[in-house]
Amino acid sequence: NTAFSPKIGLNVRYVSSASHVGNAWVNASRSFKAPTLDQLYDLRALPVPFPPYEVRIASPLLTPQEGTALEAGVYHIVALENGWQGQLSVSGYTMDMENEIDFSFETFSNVNIGKSRHRGVESGLTFGKPGLVTLFANHTLQDVTQQSGENKGNAVKAIPLHSISAGLSAQAGPFGASLILKSLSGMWVDDANTVELPDYTTVDVRLSWERKDVRWDVDIFNALNSAFDTTAYPDPAGSDVIFLFPSAPRTLSIGAQYTF
């Protein structure tokens, strides 16, 4: 397999002063992603509760996916008094993909799904004082549609229309804490866009303590113990059954990092 993936871009600083720095940028590119060896040749069989009672998801017929993208955006930093600062970034993109690699629950194998179009706007806002406190909020609006086949124009399944994250982190001497909220909405279960996955929101917490060369971290994922489904797929046999993948419950993780 061969691929040609050139990229050209331009970044212009439209303001530069003691209190403001702003840049605008644009780039165009070609990209590719080759299938992995596992996606092509993995011979491991997975058990399923229907004939032939085992499937192999690899497919040697996969071809590299390729895309053409155009992106543009701005980012602006404002320095305030006493070390406080804010940053705003906004970008938009459009990308046309061909032979996109995906997993098909209809055939239980990796497939090239033809053509898709990815369009979106990403925005982010950060405000705080380094070493003291930082607040941030990010929003991604992404419209990903199929561009070929009987479902042309429909949204590609399992990709959220809205992705939101926001949080707060604080530092007091050797102690640190952060609170992060994540929310996903607008996800379809099937290619025909007849079943929508319920929206969900999670809250994660991190506590840290650093002394000399050792840093301790305590992470609590899904701190509110919310129940939701991370993804789903329709019954490949054609019934009205929807197979759901439930979320993990509240999870505690403790880690240590030692710096030599």
Side-chain angles (χ1 to χ4, degrees):
N1 295 314
T2 61
F4 180 55
S5 54
K7 182 175 183 178
I8 185 172
L10 177 66
N11 191 312
V12 177
R13 176 162 293 182
Y14 58 83
V15 62
S16 179
S17 68
S19 58
H20 289 268
V21 175
N23 288 66
W25 58 270
V26 61
N27 69 57
S29 64
R30 285 278 297 172
S31 62
F32 74 94
K33 179 182 178 182
T36 66
L37 292 177
D38 280 347
Q39 290 173 327
L40 288 167
Y41 307 119
D42 189 355
L43 298 180
R44 290 174 293 181
L46 302 177
V48 292
F50 49 81
Y53 302 108
E54 63 176 32
V55 294
R56 292 174 173 82
I57 65 175
S59 173
L61 301 179
L62 289 175
T63 59
Q65 67 181 39
E66 297 182 336
T68 302
L70 178 64
E71 304 170 271
V74 297
Y75 54 92
H76 193 104
I77 301 174
V78 179
L80 305 175
E81 295 181 356
N82 300 320
W84 292 85
Q85 65 179 31
Q87 179 172 334
L88 172 68
S89 62
V90 180
S91 62
Y93 64 88
T94 179
M95 176 185 295
D96 287 336
M97 300 295 299
E98 298 180 359
N99 299 320
E100 193 166 6
I101 299 172
D102 194 10
F103 180 79
S104 170
F105 285 106
E106 287 73 24
T107 63
F108 271 88
S109 63
N110 295 311
V111 297
N112 292 105
I113 64 173
K115 298 180 180 180
S116 64
R117 176 165 292 164
H118 302 242
R119 287 180 171 173
V121 177
E122 299 178 353
S123 56
L125 179 64
T126 302
F127 177 78
K129 184 176 182 179
L132 181 62
V133 63
T134 300
L135 296 93
F136 72 90
N138 300 305
H139 175 241
T140 299
L141 171 64
Q142 50 187 351
D143 181 28
V144 185
T145 57
Q146 303 178 55
Q147 297 298 303
S148 63
E150 61 180 346
N151 294 306
K152 182 178 179 179
N154 287 2
V156 175
K157 61 179 182 289
I159 298 179
L161 178 64
H162 296 279
S163 177
I164 299 172
S165 64
L168 166 69
S169 64
Q171 190 76 30
F175 300 99
S178 62
L179 181 71
I180 300 175
L181 179 146
K182 300 176 183 177
S183 178
L184 299 178
S185 61
M187 294 169 285
W188 294 101
V189 172
D190 57 337
D191 292 324
N193 291 176
T194 59
V195 180
E196 192 170 5
L197 191 71
D199 308 340
Y200 63 86
T201 301
T202 62
V203 175
D204 299 331
V205 176
R206 163 170 281 196
L207 304 174
S208 63
W209 176 57
E210 189 169 358
R211 183 178 181 183
K212 295 183 179 180
D213 299 327
V214 180
R215 175 188 171 96
W216 292 89
D217 292 306
V218 177
D219 291 287
I220 306 174
F221 301 105
N222 192 13
L224 301 181
N225 204 28
S226 302
F228 57 91
D229 299 309
T230 58
T231 189
Y233 67 92
D235 182 6
S239 73
D240 294 332
V241 175
I242 301 295
F243 293 93
L244 303 172
F245 286 78
S247 63
R250 182 187 296 114
T251 304
L252 177 67
S253 174
I254 300 176
Q257 178 179 311
Y258 179 76
T259 304
F260 293 94

